[in-house]
Amino acid sequence: MDLPTEINSQNNKFKEFIFRRRYLILLVVAVIIIGVGTMSIIAYQQQMSLPVYFQSLSTPQISVTELASGKLKSVVLIDVRSLEEYQEDHIGNSQLVPLSEIEAGEGFAKVQNILQSYEQKHRDKPIVVLYCTSGMRSIKANKLLSDRGYQPLTLTGGITAWREKIRRSQDLNALKFQ
């Protein structure tokens, strides 16, 4: 093989390599865009921002069915919504500690007081279950409380999911642990 033919052959191999690499890069970019788009749609359906949705994937959660099953004996429900939302409707004997107070730092003392009061009455350590309207704020609160050493669960779907299965008049019957 003469030198010009060898150079031409190497050029063709190089062009083929570049073409394949571009194709692979475009494929990877397309997969990422489709994946992020799909995740964005799922997050939107669950009324969450994309970062909160990703955080929810690693947040310990409990479903309405599990919570209402009666299998858990020591549970403290904490509503992290606003006072106005809490006054409008809340689950059973839940306690109000708004996310805004947790974010500001003063909510940690409230949570600690709620748990100490529960432990004095019941003599056992409770499971903390956080809820909000649909899950977004309780996931944020879960992260903040977890960073402080608590091990809370988040009610999947929040009070919205709870009310789909349990009417207000049935709360105390469904919450056998209180």
Side-chain angles (χ1 to χ4, degrees):
M1 196 181 325
D2 60 347
L3 189 58
T5 307
E6 189 175 322
I7 291 173
N8 197 17
S9 173
Q10 288 178 352
N11 273 342
N12 287 339
K13 287 180 184 176
F14 181 72
K15 286 178 183 178
E16 187 177 318
F17 171 76
I18 294 297
F19 176 76
R20 285 185 183 170
R21 190 168 179 202
R22 282 184 185 165
Y23 178 73
L24 184 60
I25 290 170
L26 287 174
L27 182 64
V28 168
V29 168
V31 167
I32 290 171
I33 289 170
I34 291 169
V36 170
T38 302
M39 293 291 208
S40 295
I41 291 168
I42 293 169
Y44 176 77
Q45 288 173 335
Q46 295 187 15
Q47 301 176 344
M48 296 181 190
S49 66
L50 198 53
V52 172
Y53 175 73
F54 284 129
Q55 187 176 352
S56 76
L57 298 175
S58 63
T59 300
Q61 298 188 32
I62 187 168
S63 70
V64 171
T65 304
E66 291 170 318
L67 185 59
S69 72
K71 293 178 183 175
L72 302 174
K73 299 300 177 200
S74 302
V75 175
V76 171
L77 280 170
I78 297 179
D79 188 327
V80 298
R81 299 174 303 152
S82 69
L83 175 60
E84 295 78 21
E85 290 172 297
Y86 182 82
Q87 289 172 337
E88 187 177 307
D89 186 20
H90 59 273
I91 299 173
N93 294 327
S94 62
Q95 302 291 317
L96 175 65
V97 184
L99 174 62
S100 59
E101 291 181 12
I102 295 171
E103 290 175 324
E106 62 205 46
F108 297 113
K110 282 188 174 182
V111 170
Q112 188 61 36
N113 289 338
I114 291 167
L115 295 179
Q116 285 174 349
S117 174
Y118 181 91
E119 289 171 6
Q120 287 174 352
K121 292 177 189 173
H122 300 279
R123 303 278 187 243
D124 54 357
K125 191 170 180 79
I127 298 167
V128 176
V129 176
L130 307 172
Y131 74 91
C132 61
T133 301
S134 62
M136 191 161 137
R137 287 176 281 182
S138 56
I139 289 168
K140 289 179 182 178
N142 191 308
K143 170 79 169 109
L144 293 168
L145 289 169
S146 295
D147 290 348
R148 288 283 189 108
Y150 295 94
Q151 297 176 334
L153 299 173
T154 294
L155 180 61
T156 306
I159 195 170
T160 303
W162 182 266
R163 286 290 171 243
E164 286 175 3
K165 293 190 178 190
I166 299 170
R167 288 179 290 161
R168 184 184 265 182
S169 61
Q170 297 173 318
D171 276 355
L172 295 180
N173 289 336
L175 301 171
K176 297 171 184 78
F177 49 78
Q178 292 191 352

